[in-house]
């Protein structure tokens, strides 16, 4: 089956620093990748849709200047949390679609971000 | 505005019995529904899906039922096994919606041996 990896799996950083999270599709090309955020005991909230070679589409309420998304190739998308603050602490999950239907989304294992 | 709702945050079921997880949605544009299983600190894994042109889809121990008029879907797991203990999310989307998924709040299923 299709595999999506994320790196790092866990990161702890100081307030004010920037953190980059990578999402890779290992055995397929992903024209579209999605970034989600999950708070404890809550649902996965879509943050943005990342399209290879074009700008990401952000959901309402998500600051695009704070959460920078780059989809430079068909197998890699990165999410950079700029000037992180404690309220940005969360579980970030990416998913990738090999341009199939909605059931074709494959999720990464997630990244736990803790901002001190 | 929670467009996809799972009103039971948790459910406990005896091993071997049927587990029934429910999901309601409000957006009538949704025409494709999915169930995902998630373990702590891991990404969701796809279980089963159903298109709005059907009212039932079965895959092994998992069956999803869709009632469009009630805007309700359910996931049946039978027989339930200890390995089924996880958080289950339903998700909805619509064709032409750029594959965006709207997730429910999840139900934590615990299978009691």
């Amino acid at each position: 089956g299709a595999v999506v990896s994320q790196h790092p799996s866990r990161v702890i950083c100081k307030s004010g620093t920037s953190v980059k999270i990578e999402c890779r599709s290992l055995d397929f090309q992903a024209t579209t990748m999605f970034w989600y955020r999950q708070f404890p005991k809550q649902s996965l909230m879509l943050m943005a849709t990342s399209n290879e070679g074009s700008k990401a589409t952000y959901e309402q309420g998500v600051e695009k200047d704070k959460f920078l998304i780059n989809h430079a190739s068909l197998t890699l998308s990165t999410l950079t949390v700029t000037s992180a603050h404690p309220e940005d602490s969360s579980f970030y999950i990416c998913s990738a679609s090999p341009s199939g239907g909605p059931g074709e989304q494959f999720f990464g294992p997630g990244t736990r971000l803790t901002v001190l | 505005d929670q467009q996809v709702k799972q009103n039971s945050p948790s459910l406990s079921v005896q091993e071997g019995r049927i587990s029934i997880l429910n999901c309601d949605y409000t957006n009538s544009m949704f025409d494709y529904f999915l169930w995902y299983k998630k373990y702590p600190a891991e990404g969701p894994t796809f279980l089963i899906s159903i298109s709005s042109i059907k009212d039932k889809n079965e895959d092994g121990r998992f069956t999803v039922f869709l009632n469009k008029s009630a805007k309700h879907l359910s996931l049946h797991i039978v027989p339930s096994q200890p390995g089924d203990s996880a958080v289950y999310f339903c998700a909805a989307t619509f064709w032409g919606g750029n594959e965006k998924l709207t997730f429910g709040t999840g139900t934590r299923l615990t299978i009691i041996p």
Side-chain angles (χ1 to χ4, degrees):
Chain A
V3 178
V4 175
S5 70
Q6 273 184 249
H7 178 79
S9 58
R10 183 184 296 265
V11 58
I12 301 172
C13 68
K14 291 183 179 179
S15 185
T17 60
S18 294
V19 175
K20 181 185 282 189
I21 302 170
E22 292 186 347
C23 176
R24 293 181 185 273
S25 56
L26 299 185
D27 50 4
F28 65 98
Q29 292 185 328
T31 55
T32 306
M33 289 183 171
F34 302 89
W35 286 96
Y36 295 84
R37 182 175 181 177
Q38 185 186 24
F39 291 104
K41 297 183 180 179
Q42 292 190 26
S43 183
L44 283 78
M45 300 299 296
L46 180 65
M47 298 175 66
T49 303
S50 172
N51 299 298
E52 188 268 337
S54 63
K55 290 183 178 180
T57 305
Y58 290 82
E59 294 299 300
Q60 193 173 14
V62 178
E63 299 175 60
K64 61 180 181 180
D65 294 329
K66 181 166 186 64
F67 298 99
L68 300 178
I69 291 172
N70 185 288
H71 195 152
S73 75
L74 286 170
T75 59
L76 173 64
S77 175
T78 59
L79 167 68
T80 301
V81 183
T82 62
S83 187
H85 291 285
E87 58 265 29
D88 299 323
S89 298
S90 190
F91 192 59
Y92 293 86
I93 307 174
C94 72
S95 71
S97 172
S99 72
E104 288 287 295
Q105 277 195 42
F106 299 94
F107 285 81
T111 297
R112 170 72 61 193
L113 171 63
T114 303
V115 185
L116 303 175
Chain B
D1 176 29
Q2 191 70 36
Q3 296 185 58
V4 180
K5 299 177 184 179
Q6 293 174 255
N7 291 320
S8 297
S10 63
L11 175 69
S12 294
V13 174
Q14 204 78 31
E15 181 180 359
R17 298 286 186 100
I18 184 171
S19 295
I20 300 176
L21 296 97
N22 294 303
C23 179
D24 297 292
Y25 61 96
T26 58
N27 190 339
S28 55
M29 294 278 290
F30 290 141
D31 57 12
Y32 195 83
F33 306 88
L34 308 93
W35 283 94
Y36 284 84
K37 178 179 180 180
K38 186 180 181 298
Y39 294 112
E42 293 185 12
T45 54
F46 171 74
L47 273 178
I48 193 168
S49 63
I50 188 167
S51 163
S52 61
I53 63 174
K54 294 185 174 183
D55 54 20
K56 177 184 174 181
N57 189 25
E58 193 172 350
D59 184 1
R61 296 187 298 116
F62 302 93
T63 303
V64 56
F65 296 91
L66 174 63
N67 182 332
K68 289 187 293 292
S69 60
K71 294 191 177 68
H72 176 84
L73 64 153
S74 61
L75 173 68
H76 292 209
I77 306 172
V78 57
S80 300
Q81 300 174 354
D84 296 329
S85 295
V87 177
Y88 289 78
F89 290 94
C90 68
T93 186
F94 56 95
W95 291 100
N98 197 25
E99 303 162 21
K100 287 166 51 173
L101 295 177
T102 301
F103 281 86
T105 47
T107 296
R108 179 177 300 280
L109 175 65
T110 302
I111 305 302
I112 304 165

